[in-house]
Amino acid sequence: MAAGKRKLAGAGLATHSTKQSRHDQARVEADDSSNESMLASDDSDAESDSSMHDADELKLTGENHESGAGGSTERSKVRGATNAEIMALNEASLLFKSNLFKLQIDELLSETLVTAGSKVTRDLDAALKQIRDVLAAMDSTKEMTVDAATNLVRKLGKQATGHAVAIPFPDPAPAAGLALKLAFEAPDVVNVVGSYPLGMAVRTQRLFNVDVLAQMPAQMFQERDYMNYRYFYKRAFFVAMIRVQLHASALHELFDIEFELLRSDTRLPVVVLRPKSDTRLSKLGCVVRIQPSIAPDTLPLRRLTPDRNHVRAAYVAGTTDADLVAEQATPQYNAAVVSDALQLTHMKYLFETNEQCTEFGRAAALLRVWLGQRTVQHIGQQQLMAPRISGFALTMVLAWLVRSVNSGGVTGARLSSSMDAHQLFKGTIEFLAAHDFNQGALQFGTDADMTAFGAQSGAVLVDPSASVNVLAGVQPWELDALRLHAQQTALDLNHHSANHFSRVFLSAALTDVTAKYDHVFRLEIDMAPFLAVRFGSDMNVTARAAELEHGHPVVAVQHRIAQLLSTALARQTRLVAVHAGADASFDDRIKATRRHVFVVGVVTSSDAQRLVDLGPSPDAQPQDAAQFRTLWGDRAELRRFRDGSIRLATVWGANAMPLEQRAQIVPRMLAFLLRRHFGVLAQPELLHADDQSTAD
């Protein structure tokens, strides 16, 4: 069909014009009408004869038919369509639109899928082979102290790049005099992993990643290196040595080579190779990431369950007092170590799934396109930190649905491996729309100790090896946003309108915050008051350890903002999203800057215009009442209601308040909370005089 042959711009899915959408809709409606006519003419011979007979009877000889000498008139009677005919036409229409949608998906994938070994990727494949050869031939170093390793990287970096290169140590950096020996050896395994070799990589308006695994030799580590960041210090030195030696090779002529943080986590730096603009490879729109890993038996993974602590409070405080405070579990820290060890394991599992389900890779590619169209990368000129919900996580959800399932007493696959890509995509979207990851834990099979993956781990999807939570570090609001998007997409997929393909895969509005959210606030926050003191007698070890668990100081403050606003506005909002700005350079990203930009987006609920926000009863719920007073301060007041109950409440207007002022209640509440808890005067015109006085 004509609509199915429409060319899709692979490098600009989000810029599909409204004019083109109207043109597509007109062509769909024209084809729909033509198709119904053809279907109506393909009935059985008997029905065709009957229809022709009826048509003869219904033919009009004129608007008024004169008969006899008296000139009397008769109006012809037109027979309406029967229920069976209407149902048949509707079914034909739905079938046509479903087939059209599949054709559009096929063309979308033909334009966006990047297949290894194809003519298009010839230059990329050659570059990957060159990268593998350079990595395998790298020079080793002997063991040395942290200070000696720092000086070596600085020296080699200056020789290769003209400026000193610093080791990207995580927060906290190694303490002075730390008894730790660092060494570098060439990786003993180099493999291309991730979406590209699996046939799931997609090329849209944003760059796609090609991941190269560089496995660190086991002899570089000791058994207890998982304790107190020792593994991450050795990993950071390994990454730094790879960068400076890549700079010294011929690859520097093809790529700009730099550090980047994986999932915005200072514990997980990687080397990124961006094709230079004057090379043919730059036209492909890819970025090569070299990711360190270890073999699964290098460290004892059984000790890295999320309910254990491996960052001692004494180390955080910089003392030798082992009984400083009670040790808290470090699930995100543990997951970062285990994830490095299981990269090849996950790769093999997804490859097996792809073999069992022939359309698995295409469905995973559709999920990546869908997620990319709903990811905000920048607001104006302000770049944003990468979200922690990724295409890999959605691919694992799809694999969970296709492979073994054990959840809520239900065992067995939820999606058939014989389904096509469209059906697998739709089934996954419907699952994401219905399932609340913040409430229900999932696991592959039955081997995982789910007591270890408790409330401390947040949202839980235990991987096939029963060793790591795939969703570790993903913030609750990110999963809430994912669920909202899936619910809207599920409605679009079941609506069968002419332009539902555009809404699912081509809509540019979903990356525009002004269209994505009902209310948007831009904040510039002084970070220092919201980060734990790092040294000295004023240091709060528990707060500092909790901050380190997030992997980045900015992410820690981002989580704090989102948690407070989501709690305070639970009735008035369906989603409170908090995006963090990204700093211009890598050196700024691995440390807490003095001031940082955050963008808060709110999707309101049906209760957004309520004048009174009810709180708990101080007598029946004293702890909740104390939290309510902490949130709202003097705005929280005791009130007696008609049913005789006495509860805390915040009042935002009288019954006579006009609708346009009611529409500003949620922004006003948001501005009050930001002023009270973060010292930010965001949109001050929203605050009334009593708001500002009580907030201050």
Side-chain angles (χ1 to χ4, degrees), residues 533-552:
V533 177
R534 302 189 173 201
F535 308 101
S537 58
D538 294 335
M539 181 179 184
N540 184 329
V541 178
T542 302
R544 174 67 172 146
E547 176 187 303
L548 292 175
E549 176 66 2
H550 289 285
H552 197 299

Side-chain angles (χ1 to χ4, degrees), residues 92 259 474 566 635:
F259 293 132
V474 178
S566 298
R635 283 222 62 114

Side-chain angles (χ1 to χ4, degrees), residues 475-533:
Q475 299 193 56
W477 73 262
E478 291 183 284
L479 292 169
D480 290 339
L482 181 71
R483 190 180 183 194
L484 274 180
H485 289 315
Q487 288 171 348
Q488 182 57 55
T489 302
L491 291 175
D492 290 336
L493 290 174
N494 290 309
H495 189 255
H496 294 291
S497 63
N499 62 340
H500 71 303
F501 175 81
S502 298
R503 289 203 300 270
V504 173
F505 293 113
L506 304 179
S507 176
L510 296 170
T511 58
D512 180 3
V513 291
T514 57
K516 190 182 182 78
Y517 303 115
D518 296 323
H519 305 287
V520 179
F521 281 67
R522 185 184 184 277
L523 322 175
E524 191 170 344
I525 292 181
D526 184 3
M527 297 278 287
F530 308 105
L531 296 174
V533 177

Side-chain angles (χ1 to χ4, degrees), residues 44-62:
S44 64
D45 293 340
E47 291 174 342
S48 177
D49 292 341
S50 175
S51 299
M52 292 174 61
H53 179 68
D54 290 341
D56 289 338
E57 290 182 348
L58 297 176
K59 189 182 295 182
L60 299 181
T61 58

Side-chain angles (χ1 to χ4, degrees), residues 87-107:
M87 291 177 63
L89 289 173
N90 285 337
E91 290 175 2
S93 176
L94 292 178
L95 179 62
F96 167 72
K97 290 175 181 176
S98 177
N99 289 337
L100 175 62
F101 188 75
K102 292 177 183 178
L103 289 174
Q104 290 172 317
I105 284 178
D106 289 341
E107 189 164 0

